[in-house]
Amino acid sequence: MAQCVQSVQEFVQDSFVPMVAVLCSEEADRVTRKNNLNFAELLRPFCRLTSEGHIRDPNNQVQVVKNLRICVNNVVTSPSAASAALSPAQRRLLNEVVFSCQPQEGAVASTITVGDYELSFSATTPWFEAYRENFLQSMPASDHEFLNHYLACLLVVSSTEAVPVEQFLKLSQEQHRIQHSGEYTNPKWFIPNTLKYYVLLHDMSEGEEQRAESVYEDMKQRYGPQGCYLLKMNSRSISAEEDEQIPDPWSQYLHRNELHSQDTADEAAPAVNSAAVENDVSAAPADGHHLSEKDGVSNSLENHPLQLDSVSSSGSLHTLSAVTADLKKGARDPESHGGAAGSHGACLTLTDHDHIRQFIQEFTFRGLLPHIEKNIRQLNDQLVSRKGLSRSLFTATKKWFGGGKVPEKSVSEPKSTSGLLYPPEAPELQIRKMADLCFLVQHYELAYSCYHTAKKDFLSDQATLYAAGALEMAAVSAFLQAGAPRPYPAHYMDTAIQTYRDVCKNMVLAERCALLSAEILKSQGKYSEAATLLIKMTSEDSDLRSALLLEQAAHCFINMRNRMLRKFAFHMILAGHRFSKAGQRRHALRCYCQAMQVYKGRAWSLAEDHINFTIGRQSFTLRQPENAVSAFKQILTNDSRQTATQQGAFLREYLYVYKSVLGGDEVDLPELPLPCIHTSATRIYFGHERRLAEGEKQAATHVSLDQEYDQDLAAMWCKLEEQLVAAANGGAMPGNFQPTQCYLNSQTDNLRHPLAVVEEPIIVELMLRNPLKVSLVLSHLSLLWRFSADAGSVSQDKTAGEVITNEEALAKGMAQKDDIVTTETILEFHMCSEETKVARLRLLPHRIGHLNIVGVVYNLAAASSGETASSTDGQQKLDLMVRGKQDLKIQGPRLNQNKEDKMIVRYGPDRRLDPVITPPMPLMEVFFLQFPTALLCGEIRKAYVEFCNVSSVSLCGLRVASTHPDFFTFGSQATTPLTPISPTSAENCSAYKTLATPPGALPGSVASETLVSAEDFSQMSGVMEIPIDGSSLQPGESTQLPLWLRGPDQEGVHEISFLFYYESTEKGVKISHRVVRHTVFICATHSLSVQASACRSSVPPHHSPEDKGSSGTLVFIDVENINTSEAGVREFHIIQVSSSSQHWRLHKCINLAKDKEYKLTSRERAKLCFRATRCKPQQAATAATKKYTFADLSLGNERQIISSVTPCGDFFFRCCRPSVCQRAEVEAARTTSSGKSPSSAEDRTSDISNIVKKCNELDLNIIVIWKAYVVEDNKQLILEGQLHVALQTIDKEACSLTPKEEAQEMVLFKFKSELPPPAVLASAELSQLVKTNMHYPETYSHPFIQDSLCVVPVSLTLSNCSLTPVDVLIDLRHKNTSIPEVVEVHSSFTWVGQSRYKLQLKPEQVTCLTLRACFLQAGVYNLNTPRVFAKPAEQDAMSETSQQAASPALIIIKNA
C-alpha cells in the first residue's frame, strides 16, 4: 500500500471514537450562525485533545488516555432501518470526495530504479486516505456493535433566552423522546442513561455578561458543576476589526457533508439500487463533462475492447440527474450545510478559540470520561454477578425459556445471518458493550478479553454477524496492545471478512475490516498478504472501491523487497479501468500514465497503442489537450506499425472525440498533434518582398526566403555593413552596433529581439511534416500572436500597455484585430501522406510595441478519398474538422561559454519570433537600368541606378559598399561630367567625357595636362557616398543616377555584391540605419594585355628644349589582343594613352604610326614607345598635397578623352589604390629610418637599399584607353575600356594582367633553420647611381696631311639619379675591355689633358665635363671608353662601384 500521513495506530484510533450528539435551541443556533457555522461544525476543529486523560478500570488501575478525539454531530432522526450497504447519497458523496482529492500539480514524485526501469509515481495517495476516512465516518450504525452509537448529548441554549432553564428542559425532553419513544431507529444510543451536558452559549457582542454569569450559577446549582458549562464567544465585531487576519481552521472539515442529511435527501429521491447508482455516476462523471457512449465513440471503433462504459439505462440517468445536482450543490455550496458565502469564524477571536478548546477539554475530562468509567464499572459488576451461574445451565435456561431473544428475521439482515437478534439487556451484548467502551478509552487489554469472551458466546449461538464483529475488534485490540503481548491474529480478520462478505452479504463491514487489516499488514511489511487481501475485496458492486483497492494492491507490489514492476503496472491498468467505470477520469488517467512508464519502449507496441488511446481519450475528456496531444502523437507517429487504414481510423476517432469534448464553445484553442512542425527550421523575413523587374528595370536582389542561407555570405555582408557604419560615424564603430538581420533562421544569431518596422510585413515560413500514411487537409491557416503596445505609442488608447491576442477571434471565427496586426490566412493547405511542405504566413503590424508570434491556428481534417462522396459523407467530413493550434516554441542554442554551461545542459533564448515593432522607417527600393551581365576585361559601361523611397519617411546618408569597389563608381560632384538624366537620352553616347582635339595638336603629343588632387576622388576607401540632390529622398520620391562599370581584369564569372546603406532623417530611432543587398554575376572575357617597361634615355637633356634641366625616361608599351573573338569582337583600336603620377608624366609618343591607327585584330600585337619626363618643378612642389598629374596623349583622330575626371579618373584611383597605399607605407618607413643614425652594418645596408630603390623608382601609372568594335545581332556596337599598368621601377616590366600563381615546388623540409645570408646589395643596383651621356659631333673632318694630330672636344654629362650626394671618380686611362658586348671599332685614339677626375654630385645634379680626344688617322672610333665609378658620399668604408656604361658612342673622323 501507499504511504500514509497517519501511523497505523493513529488511523485505527481515529476510526473508532466516542460519539457525541448536539441539540441546540433556535436562539443558540442563531448565535453560532453569525460565524457561518452550526454548533457541531464550530466544535469540529477542536475535538482532538492535546492533553492526556485518566480513568480507572474495574480493578482500580489508572489507565492513560492519549491523543483522544471525539466526534460531535447534530442529531438527525431517521425512521428507516440500517442497511447492509451504503445509501446512494453516501456513495455519491464518496465519489465526490475521491474526485475532489487529486494529486497536487508540481508535487515531487518518487523515483525508483529497478534494473533498466526508471519509474516515477506518487508515493502517497491522499484520495484513498480521504475515501477511507469518509467511508469510516459514513458507516451506518448497526445493532451488533456500539462503537458508533452516541454516548452523550450536548444541550446548547443561548444566554439571551428569556428563561434559559426552560429551554434546557425542553431540549432534555426532546432528547429523551428521540431515544426512548421508539419512533426513530436512528440515531442509536450507547446506553439508556445517556450523558446530558448543558452548555450556556453567551454572545459577547449582544447579551449581558453579568446575566449570563448568574444563569450559569443557577445551572451549577441545578445540574452540578460537572454537568454544565458557560461558553463565551463572538468577542469580535466584523465592522470594527475587518483588517485583522484570524486563522480559519474549519475549511478543511466543511467539505464533508452531513451524512444523515444526505440520507434524508436520499429518502425523498426515487429508490434505485446501488449498482445502478454506481454506473450512473460513471456515466455522468464527477468532472461535469457528460460523454455518452453514443457521442464518445465513432462508428469505426464502437466495439473497441477498451471502450468507455456506457450508461446502464436512460431512465436511471434521468432519475438520478436531480439527485446528483442536489448532492453536488450540497457538497460544494456552503449554504447546504448552514453557512452563507463568506469566511468562517468571522466573529471569533483567538481567545474565543481557546474558550472552545477549553470547553471540549472540560466536557471530556469532567463529563464524558467519568461517565464512561462509571458505565464500565456498572457493566463489569453486572457481568461478575452473573459469573456464579453455570455457563452451561445459563445457556440451557436460555434455550428453554428463550432468554429474551426474538427469533425473527431482520429487514436489514439476510437469511444467512440465522436471524438472531439479541435484546438490549442480553448478557452477550453487555459484554460487547463493555468491550466497546474499553476500546474507546484505549483500554485494549480489557477490551480484547471482553471481545474474546463475546466471540465465543456468539459462535456458540451461531450469531455469525455478532461473531464476525467480535473477531474483527479482537484482532484490532490485540494489535493495539502496548508491548504486543500477543501476535496479531490475522486469521481473525480473514474469518471476519469472509463472514461479512459471504455469509452476511454485508460488503460495508467487510470493506471496513479489509481496510483495517491491510493497513496493519502493511505496517508489518507483509505486502504480499495485504495485496492478496485487497484484490479479493474487488467486486462488481462498486467500481470506486475496486479501483482504490486495486491501486493500493499495485503499491504493495512496488513496495515489496523484490519490487514487481510489471504486476504494479498491470494492476494500475486494472485500477484505471475501474476508475474510468466509476467516473473518476482523472484518477483513471493518472493510473494509465503511471503504468505507461513500464510498458513504454518495451516492444509492447499494441499495448502501448491501447494505453495511449485511452490516455488520449481521457485527457480530452478532462480538457487536458496537451496530454492528449502527447498520447495521440505516440499513436500517430511515422514509425507506427499500424496500417494506413488503422491510422485513418485513429485519426477520425481522435478528431471525433476532440470535437465532442470541445463542443465549439471554447475560447482557448486546443493543441493539435498534426502535422509535425519543425520549429527549429522556422524562418522569418522582415519587410516587403522584392518587386520583380519592371520592363528594363532590374530590382535589387536583396534578401528573400527563396535564397539559401550561407554562413560565409552572411559574414561577408556583416563586414560590408561594418564598413558602412564606421564610415557613417566618422570611422569609429558604435559600441551598440548590431548587424541588420532581415532574415532569421536556425543559423543566425537569435539571442536578441529582432527589429521590425510598423506597416511592413513579417513573413514566417513554417516547415510542416505529415507523419501519417493518410493525407491531411489544413484550412484557414494563420498565425497566432500576442501584442503589447508601447505606452507612448498611441495616446488615449486603452490597448497601450496591455497584452492583446488574436486567439479568441481566431477560436470563435470573429473579425480579427486588423487595426493592430493584420493576419493573413491560407484558406486551404493539402498535405499528402508522409509529405514535408512549407507554408508562408504574413503579419502586418500597425502599432508600435512588442509582438510575440506564439503559434499557428488552423482547421485539421482528414482528406477525403477520391470517390464521390454523398451529402451525408460531406457533412461528416465537416463534423470531423476541428480547429486548434500548435505553439511555436523554438529551443535556443546550447550555451557553452563558461564552466557551468559545459557541466550542465543549458540552452539560451531564441527570440526570432519575438520582434520589436519600431516607428516608421524609410524604405528604399533600388532598380538597375542597362546593367550588363557580360563585360570585356577593363570595359567601361555606363548604367543607371534608380533609388525609390516607397515609405512615408525621408531618407538620407545614402552610401554603398561592395566586395569589388573597383568595379563601379558613381563619380564625385567635383569630377563628374554632365550626363544625360535618363537612359533613353544616353543611347550611343560615350561613357567618357571627351573634348575636341585642340587645333595644331599633333597626334602622339600631349594634348592636355591636368593637375588633380587625390582628395577630389573621395571614394578611394571601400565605402562610396552616393551623390543625390539635396542629400535626401522625400517620401514617394525617386531619383536616377549614372553608374559607371568597369569589367574585372581577370577573366571568368565574378560574383559582385553591393550593400546600399541609408538612414532616416529622424534621429533617435531604434533602427539606426537600413541596408539593401544586391548581388550580380558578371562574366568577364579577355580584351587586351598591356605590358610596359621603362629605361633611362641616352639622349642629352639639352637636345630636348621642353625638358631642360631634367632627365628623361623611355617607356615601352606592348599591347596584345588576347580576345578569342568569342564575344563577336572584330578589332580593338588604341585611341589614347594617358599617364598619372605625382612625379612623372608621358611627354610624347616616339614611334607614332604615320599612315594608320593602332588597330589590333585577334592575337595581333603593337609596340608603342613614349618619352616620360619628370613633372615641372612648380608642379612637383605641390606633391606634398598628393596631387597627380594626368597627361593625355591621343593616338588617332578621335576626340580627346579627359582622363582626370569620371569615370576614367575614378577607376584609375580604385584600381591603383593598392600600389598607392604600398608607396605610402614605403615613404613612411623611409622617413622613420632616416630619422635614426645608422649604428650598425645592417642599418647602413638598409639605407643604401633605400637610396638605390629611390634611384630606380619611377612611380608612373599608364592608362591605355581602347575601343572595340563588336558585331551583335547584325548590329555593330562600339565598346570602350581602359587598362592600367603601374610602373614602379625602371627596367622592371609591369603587366595589366595579374600573373597566375604557379604551383610551388616541393622543397626539402629542414628541421634546423639555417642562418639567413648577409644582405649584400647587387652590383647592378649600385651601378645605376650615375647616368652618363657624351655629346660630340657625329662626323669630324681633319686635314691629317697638314696636321697629324686631330683633337676633338667631347662633353661628358654626369647625372646623379639618386636623392643623396654621390662621390664620382672618372678614369680616362682605363680601357673598356672588360665588357665583351662593347664593340671595339678602332682603338688608335687617346684622351689628352687630365686623365682622372674626382668630384661630388649633389642630389639629382647634372654636371658637364669637357674632354679632348686625340686621333692619329681617319676612321670610326668608339668614344665610350671612360670608366665611371660612384658611391654614396656618406659611405666612407665602401669602395666605388663601376657605373653602367651607355651605349657605344661612335664618331667618324674624315680626312679633309
Side-chain angles (χ1 to χ4, degrees), residues 649-674:
F650 274 135
L651 178 59
R652 289 192 298 272
E653 174 71 12
Y654 158 62
L655 295 175
Y656 197 90
V657 173
Y658 216 123
K659 195 168 185 63
S660 301
V661 172
L662 297 178
D665 297 330
E666 295 293 320
V667 176
D668 295 332
L669 287 167
E671 188 86 11
L672 294 177
L674 296 173

PDB file of all heavy atoms in Angstrom, residues 649-674:
ATOM      1  N   ALA A 649      -8.382   5.438 -39.124  1.00  0.00           N
ATOM      2  CA  ALA A 649      -9.412   5.231 -38.102  1.00  0.00           C
ATOM      3  C   ALA A 649      -9.029   5.922 -36.805  1.00  0.00           C
ATOM      4  O   ALA A 649      -9.868   6.555 -36.146  1.00  0.00           O
ATOM      5  CB  ALA A 649      -9.608   3.728 -37.874  1.00  0.00           C
ATOM      6  N   PHE A 650      -7.759   5.812 -36.425  1.00  0.00           N
ATOM      7  CA  PHE A 650      -7.307   6.504 -35.211  1.00  0.00           C
ATOM      8  C   PHE A 650      -7.479   8.013 -35.365  1.00  0.00           C
ATOM      9  O   PHE A 650      -7.901   8.701 -34.429  1.00  0.00           O
ATOM     10  CB  PHE A 650      -5.838   6.189 -34.937  1.00  0.00           C
ATOM     11  CG  PHE A 650      -5.625   4.923 -34.154  1.00  0.00           C
ATOM     12  CD1 PHE A 650      -4.649   4.023 -34.535  1.00  0.00           C
ATOM     13  CD2 PHE A 650      -6.394   4.632 -33.047  1.00  0.00           C
ATOM     14  CE1 PHE A 650      -4.442   2.856 -33.816  1.00  0.00           C
ATOM     15  CE2 PHE A 650      -6.201   3.465 -32.324  1.00  0.00           C
ATOM     16  CZ  PHE A 650      -5.229   2.572 -32.718  1.00  0.00           C
ATOM     17  N   LEU A 651      -7.140   8.525 -36.559  1.00  0.00           N
ATOM     18  CA  LEU A 651      -7.252   9.967 -36.770  1.00  0.00           C
ATOM     19  C   LEU A 651      -8.707  10.418 -36.695  1.00  0.00           C
ATOM     20  O   LEU A 651      -9.028  11.429 -36.060  1.00  0.00           O
ATOM     21  CB  LEU A 651      -6.642  10.324 -38.129  1.00  0.00           C
ATOM     22  CG  LEU A 651      -6.712  11.800 -38.523  1.00  0.00           C
ATOM     23  CD1 LEU A 651      -5.985  12.664 -37.496  1.00  0.00           C
ATOM     24  CD2 LEU A 651      -6.131  12.012 -39.903  1.00  0.00           C
ATOM     25  N   ARG A 652      -9.596   9.657 -37.339  1.00  0.00           N
ATOM     26  CA  ARG A 652     -11.023  10.031 -37.279  1.00  0.00           C
ATOM     27  C   ARG A 652     -11.551   9.936 -35.852  1.00  0.00           C
ATOM     28  O   ARG A 652     -12.328  10.783 -35.415  1.00  0.00           O
ATOM     29  CB  ARG A 652     -11.829   9.132 -38.223  1.00  0.00           C
ATOM     30  CG  ARG A 652     -11.587   9.417 -39.691  1.00  0.00           C
ATOM     31  CD  ARG A 652     -12.618   8.706 -40.563  1.00  0.00           C
ATOM     32  NE  ARG A 652     -12.540   7.256 -40.404  1.00  0.00           N
ATOM     33  CZ  ARG A 652     -11.737   6.482 -41.120  1.00  0.00           C
ATOM     34  NH1 ARG A 652     -10.945   7.014 -42.041  1.00  0.00           N
ATOM     35  NH2 ARG A 652     -11.723   5.179 -40.939  1.00  0.00           N
ATOM     36  N   GLU A 653     -11.130   8.895 -35.146  1.00  0.00           N
ATOM     37  CA  GLU A 653     -11.564   8.770 -33.745  1.00  0.00           C
ATOM     38  C   GLU A 653     -11.059   9.945 -32.922  1.00  0.00           C
ATOM     39  O   GLU A 653     -11.786  10.525 -32.117  1.00  0.00           O
ATOM     40  CB  GLU A 653     -11.021   7.457 -33.171  1.00  0.00           C
ATOM     41  CG  GLU A 653     -11.263   7.267 -31.681  1.00  0.00           C
ATOM     42  CD  GLU A 653     -12.719   7.001 -31.374  1.00  0.00           C
ATOM     43  OE1 GLU A 653     -13.486   6.750 -32.318  1.00  0.00           O
ATOM     44  OE2 GLU A 653     -13.075   7.063 -30.197  1.00  0.00           O
ATOM     45  N   TYR A 654      -9.807  10.284 -33.175  1.00  0.00           N
ATOM     46  CA  TYR A 654      -9.222  11.422 -32.447  1.00  0.00           C
ATOM     47  C   TYR A 654      -9.986  12.708 -32.744  1.00  0.00           C
ATOM     48  O   TYR A 654     -10.352  13.477 -31.842  1.00  0.00           O
ATOM     49  CB  TYR A 654      -7.753  11.536 -32.844  1.00  0.00           C
ATOM     50  CG  TYR A 654      -7.137  12.880 -32.620  1.00  0.00           C
ATOM     51  CD1 TYR A 654      -7.039  13.410 -31.344  1.00  0.00           C
ATOM     52  CD2 TYR A 654      -6.639  13.632 -33.687  1.00  0.00           C
ATOM     53  CE1 TYR A 654      -6.474  14.649 -31.140  1.00  0.00           C
ATOM     54  CE2 TYR A 654      -6.080  14.861 -33.489  1.00  0.00           C
ATOM     55  CZ  TYR A 654      -5.997  15.360 -32.215  1.00  0.00           C
ATOM     56  OH  TYR A 654      -5.438  16.597 -32.007  1.00  0.00           O
ATOM     57  N   LEU A 655     -10.262  12.961 -34.025  1.00  0.00           N
ATOM     58  CA  LEU A 655     -10.995  14.166 -34.384  1.00  0.00           C
ATOM     59  C   LEU A 655     -12.409  14.153 -33.815  1.00  0.00           C
ATOM     60  O   LEU A 655     -12.924  15.180 -33.358  1.00  0.00           O
ATOM     61  CB  LEU A 655     -11.052  14.305 -35.915  1.00  0.00           C
ATOM     62  CG  LEU A 655      -9.706  14.520 -36.627  1.00  0.00           C
ATOM     63  CD1 LEU A 655      -9.898  14.516 -38.132  1.00  0.00           C
ATOM     64  CD2 LEU A 655      -9.061  15.816 -36.176  1.00  0.00           C
ATOM     65  N   TYR A 656     -13.046  12.973 -33.823  1.00  0.00           N
ATOM     66  CA  TYR A 656     -14.420  12.883 -33.329  1.00  0.00           C
ATOM     67  C   TYR A 656     -14.478  13.160 -31.829  1.00  0.00           C
ATOM     68  O   TYR A 656     -15.297  13.953 -31.352  1.00  0.00           O
ATOM     69  CB  TYR A 656     -14.973  11.487 -33.636  1.00  0.00           C
ATOM     70  CG  TYR A 656     -16.474  11.405 -33.552  1.00  0.00           C
ATOM     71  CD1 TYR A 656     -17.248  11.659 -34.680  1.00  0.00           C
ATOM     72  CD2 TYR A 656     -17.112  11.084 -32.366  1.00  0.00           C
ATOM     73  CE1 TYR A 656     -18.622  11.602 -34.622  1.00  0.00           C
ATOM     74  CE2 TYR A 656     -18.483  11.030 -32.294  1.00  0.00           C
ATOM     75  CZ  TYR A 656     -19.239  11.282 -33.421  1.00  0.00           C
ATOM     76  OH  TYR A 656     -20.598  11.229 -33.353  1.00  0.00           O
ATOM     77  N   VAL A 657     -13.588  12.511 -31.070  1.00  0.00           N
ATOM     78  CA  VAL A 657     -13.564  12.745 -29.622  1.00  0.00           C
ATOM     79  C   VAL A 657     -13.189  14.189 -29.328  1.00  0.00           C
ATOM     80  O   VAL A 657     -13.771  14.844 -28.447  1.00  0.00           O
ATOM     81  CB  VAL A 657     -12.570  11.772 -28.953  1.00  0.00           C
ATOM     82  CG1 VAL A 657     -12.401  12.090 -27.481  1.00  0.00           C
ATOM     83  CG2 VAL A 657     -13.048  10.340 -29.116  1.00  0.00           C
ATOM     84  N   TYR A 658     -12.254  14.691 -30.093  1.00  0.00           N
ATOM     85  CA  TYR A 658     -11.819  16.081 -29.920  1.00  0.00           C
ATOM     86  C   TYR A 658     -12.987  17.040 -30.075  1.00  0.00           C
ATOM     87  O   TYR A 658     -13.244  17.909 -29.232  1.00  0.00           O
ATOM     88  CB  TYR A 658     -10.771  16.387 -31.004  1.00  0.00           C
ATOM     89  CG  TYR A 658      -9.655  17.281 -30.584  1.00  0.00           C
ATOM     90  CD1 TYR A 658      -8.338  16.866 -30.701  1.00  0.00           C
ATOM     91  CD2 TYR A 658      -9.890  18.540 -30.080  1.00  0.00           C
ATOM     92  CE1 TYR A 658      -7.292  17.681 -30.335  1.00  0.00           C
ATOM     93  CE2 TYR A 658      -8.862  19.357 -29.705  1.00  0.00           C
ATOM     94  CZ  TYR A 658      -7.562  18.928 -29.833  1.00  0.00           C
ATOM     95  OH  TYR A 658      -6.535  19.753 -29.468  1.00  0.00           O
ATOM     96  N   LYS A 659     -13.736  16.839 -31.157  1.00  0.00           N
ATOM     97  CA  LYS A 659     -14.851  17.744 -31.422  1.00  0.00           C
ATOM     98  C   LYS A 659     -15.954  17.559 -30.392  1.00  0.00           C
ATOM     99  O   LYS A 659     -16.615  18.522 -29.986  1.00  0.00           O
ATOM    100  CB  LYS A 659     -15.379  17.495 -32.833  1.00  0.00           C
ATOM    101  CG  LYS A 659     -16.274  18.603 -33.346  1.00  0.00           C
ATOM    102  CD  LYS A 659     -16.519  18.456 -34.826  1.00  0.00           C
ATOM    103  CE  LYS A 659     -17.312  19.628 -35.362  1.00  0.00           C
ATOM    104  NZ  LYS A 659     -16.582  20.887 -35.228  1.00  0.00           N
ATOM    105  N   SER A 660     -16.186  16.325 -29.941  1.00  0.00           N
ATOM    106  CA  SER A 660     -17.222  16.080 -28.939  1.00  0.00           C
ATOM    107  C   SER A 660     -16.882  16.739 -27.619  1.00  0.00           C
ATOM    108  O   SER A 660     -17.754  17.273 -26.928  1.00  0.00           O
ATOM    109  CB  SER A 660     -17.402  14.566 -28.741  1.00  0.00           C
ATOM    110  OG  SER A 660     -17.757  13.951 -29.951  1.00  0.00           O
ATOM    111  N   VAL A 661     -15.624  16.731 -27.269  1.00  0.00           N
ATOM    112  CA  VAL A 661     -15.215  17.324 -25.991  1.00  0.00           C
ATOM    113  C   VAL A 661     -15.271  18.837 -26.066  1.00  0.00           C
ATOM    114  O   VAL A 661     -15.773  19.511 -25.162  1.00  0.00           O
ATOM    115  CB  VAL A 661     -13.804  16.843 -25.616  1.00  0.00           C
ATOM    116  CG1 VAL A 661     -13.294  17.595 -24.402  1.00  0.00           C
ATOM    117  CG2 VAL A 661     -13.823  15.357 -25.340  1.00  0.00           C
ATOM    118  N   LEU A 662     -14.772  19.392 -27.184  1.00  0.00           N
ATOM    119  CA  LEU A 662     -14.706  20.849 -27.268  1.00  0.00           C
ATOM    120  C   LEU A 662     -16.082  21.472 -27.390  1.00  0.00           C
ATOM    121  O   LEU A 662     -16.389  22.450 -26.718  1.00  0.00           O
ATOM    122  CB  LEU A 662     -13.847  21.257 -28.465  1.00  0.00           C
ATOM    123  CG  LEU A 662     -12.381  20.823 -28.382  1.00  0.00           C
ATOM    124  CD1 LEU A 662     -11.655  21.251 -29.637  1.00  0.00           C
ATOM    125  CD2 LEU A 662     -11.720  21.426 -27.165  1.00  0.00           C
ATOM    126  N   GLY A 663     -16.925  20.931 -28.250  1.00  0.00           N
ATOM    127  CA  GLY A 663     -18.265  21.455 -28.394  1.00  0.00           C
ATOM    128  C   GLY A 663     -18.342  22.774 -29.113  1.00  0.00           C
ATOM    129  O   GLY A 663     -19.411  23.343 -29.275  1.00  0.00           O
ATOM    130  N   GLY A 664     -17.212  23.340 -29.548  1.00  0.00           N
ATOM    131  CA  GLY A 664     -17.236  24.575 -30.315  1.00  0.00           C
ATOM    132  C   GLY A 664     -17.380  25.841 -29.507  1.00  0.00           C
ATOM    133  O   GLY A 664     -17.471  26.930 -30.068  1.00  0.00           O
ATOM    134  N   ASP A 665     -17.409  25.752 -28.193  1.00  0.00           N
ATOM    135  CA  ASP A 665     -17.595  26.947 -27.367  1.00  0.00           C
ATOM    136  C   ASP A 665     -16.332  27.326 -26.616  1.00  0.00           C
ATOM    137  O   ASP A 665     -16.387  28.110 -25.674  1.00  0.00           O
ATOM    138  CB  ASP A 665     -18.734  26.718 -26.361  1.00  0.00           C
ATOM    139  CG  ASP A 665     -20.063  26.485 -27.069  1.00  0.00           C
ATOM    140  OD1 ASP A 665     -20.225  27.042 -28.163  1.00  0.00           O
ATOM    141  OD2 ASP A 665     -20.911  25.761 -26.519  1.00  0.00           O
ATOM    142  N   GLU A 666     -15.218  26.753 -26.994  1.00  0.00           N
ATOM    143  CA  GLU A 666     -14.004  27.000 -26.242  1.00  0.00           C
ATOM    144  C   GLU A 666     -13.354  28.302 -26.700  1.00  0.00           C
ATOM    145  O   GLU A 666     -13.292  28.594 -27.893  1.00  0.00           O
ATOM    146  CB  GLU A 666     -13.011  25.845 -26.428  1.00  0.00           C
ATOM    147  CG  GLU A 666     -13.503  24.539 -25.845  1.00  0.00           C
ATOM    148  CD  GLU A 666     -13.600  24.592 -24.335  1.00  0.00           C
ATOM    149  OE1 GLU A 666     -12.717  25.172 -23.706  1.00  0.00           O
ATOM    150  OE2 GLU A 666     -14.597  24.094 -23.796  1.00  0.00           O
ATOM    151  N   VAL A 667     -12.896  29.075 -25.746  1.00  0.00           N
ATOM    152  CA  VAL A 667     -12.149  30.295 -26.071  1.00  0.00           C
ATOM    153  C   VAL A 667     -10.677  29.957 -26.290  1.00  0.00           C
ATOM    154  O   VAL A 667     -10.041  30.446 -27.215  1.00  0.00           O
ATOM    155  CB  VAL A 667     -12.319  31.329 -24.946  1.00  0.00           C
ATOM    156  CG1 VAL A 667     -11.462  32.546 -25.228  1.00  0.00           C
ATOM    157  CG2 VAL A 667     -13.789  31.716 -24.815  1.00  0.00           C
ATOM    158  N   ASP A 668     -10.147  29.110 -25.436  1.00  0.00           N
ATOM    159  CA  ASP A 668      -8.753  28.695 -25.569  1.00  0.00           C
ATOM    160  C   ASP A 668      -8.663  27.588 -26.601  1.00  0.00           C
ATOM    161  O   ASP A 668      -9.306  26.538 -26.469  1.00  0.00           O
ATOM    162  CB  ASP A 668      -8.211  28.204 -24.220  1.00  0.00           C
ATOM    163  CG  ASP A 668      -8.157  29.328 -23.203  1.00  0.00           C
ATOM    164  OD1 ASP A 668      -8.013  30.484 -23.633  1.00  0.00           O
ATOM    165  OD2 ASP A 668      -8.283  29.045 -21.998  1.00  0.00           O
ATOM    166  N   LEU A 669      -7.890  27.842 -27.615  1.00  0.00           N
ATOM    167  CA  LEU A 669      -7.738  26.848 -28.670  1.00  0.00           C
ATOM    168  C   LEU A 669      -6.922  25.667 -28.172  1.00  0.00           C
ATOM    169  O   LEU A 669      -5.919  25.849 -27.476  1.00  0.00           O
ATOM    170  CB  LEU A 669      -7.049  27.473 -29.878  1.00  0.00           C
ATOM    171  CG  LEU A 669      -7.912  28.443 -30.680  1.00  0.00           C
ATOM    172  CD1 LEU A 669      -7.041  29.225 -31.645  1.00  0.00           C
ATOM    173  CD2 LEU A 669      -9.000  27.714 -31.419  1.00  0.00           C
ATOM    174  N   PRO A 670      -7.312  24.450 -28.508  1.00  0.00           N
ATOM    175  CA  PRO A 670      -6.550  23.274 -28.057  1.00  0.00           C
ATOM    176  C   PRO A 670      -5.294  23.078 -28.893  1.00  0.00           C
ATOM    177  O   PRO A 670      -5.153  23.628 -29.986  1.00  0.00           O
ATOM    178  CB  PRO A 670      -7.547  22.128 -28.244  1.00  0.00           C
ATOM    179  CG  PRO A 670      -8.408  22.581 -29.375  1.00  0.00           C
ATOM    180  CD  PRO A 670      -8.519  24.079 -29.250  1.00  0.00           C
ATOM    181  N   GLU A 671      -4.441  22.261 -28.374  1.00  0.00           N
ATOM    182  CA  GLU A 671      -3.180  21.943 -29.050  1.00  0.00           C
ATOM    183  C   GLU A 671      -3.394  20.728 -29.931  1.00  0.00           C
ATOM    184  O   GLU A 671      -3.876  19.692 -29.482  1.00  0.00           O
ATOM    185  CB  GLU A 671      -2.092  21.652 -28.019  1.00  0.00           C
ATOM    186  CG  GLU A 671      -0.711  21.511 -28.609  1.00  0.00           C
ATOM    187  CD  GLU A 671      -0.009  22.845 -28.752  1.00  0.00           C
ATOM    188  OE1 GLU A 671      -0.505  23.843 -28.213  1.00  0.00           O
ATOM    189  OE2 GLU A 671       1.033  22.876 -29.408  1.00  0.00           O
ATOM    190  N   LEU A 672      -3.053  20.867 -31.205  1.00  0.00           N
ATOM    191  CA  LEU A 672      -3.222  19.772 -32.158  1.00  0.00           C
ATOM    192  C   LEU A 672      -1.893  19.053 -32.370  1.00  0.00           C
ATOM    193  O   LEU A 672      -0.838  19.682 -32.372  1.00  0.00           O
ATOM    194  CB  LEU A 672      -3.735  20.314 -33.497  1.00  0.00           C
ATOM    195  CG  LEU A 672      -5.154  20.915 -33.474  1.00  0.00           C
ATOM    196  CD1 LEU A 672      -5.495  21.469 -34.842  1.00  0.00           C
ATOM    197  CD2 LEU A 672      -6.177  19.896 -33.056  1.00  0.00           C
ATOM    198  N   PRO A 673      -1.948  17.730 -32.569  1.00  0.00           N
ATOM    199  CA  PRO A 673      -0.685  16.993 -32.740  1.00  0.00           C
ATOM    200  C   PRO A 673      -0.212  16.917 -34.187  1.00  0.00           C
ATOM    201  O   PRO A 673       0.942  16.564 -34.422  1.00  0.00           O
ATOM    202  CB  PRO A 673      -1.040  15.596 -32.221  1.00  0.00           C
ATOM    203  CG  PRO A 673      -2.493  15.453 -32.534  1.00  0.00           C
ATOM    204  CD  PRO A 673      -3.097  16.822 -32.437  1.00  0.00           C
ATOM    205  N   LEU A 674      -1.071  17.198 -35.126  1.00  0.00           N
ATOM    206  CA  LEU A 674      -0.723  17.050 -36.536  1.00  0.00           C
ATOM    207  C   LEU A 674      -0.950  18.360 -37.262  1.00  0.00           C
ATOM    208  O   LEU A 674      -1.874  19.114 -36.922  1.00  0.00           O
ATOM    209  CB  LEU A 674      -1.595  15.953 -37.188  1.00  0.00           C
ATOM    210  CG  LEU A 674      -1.411  14.528 -36.664  1.00  0.00           C
ATOM    211  CD1 LEU A 674      -2.449  13.616 -37.283  1.00  0.00           C
ATOM    212  CD2 LEU A 674      -0.019  14.011 -36.949  1.00  0.00           C
TER     213      LEU A 674
END
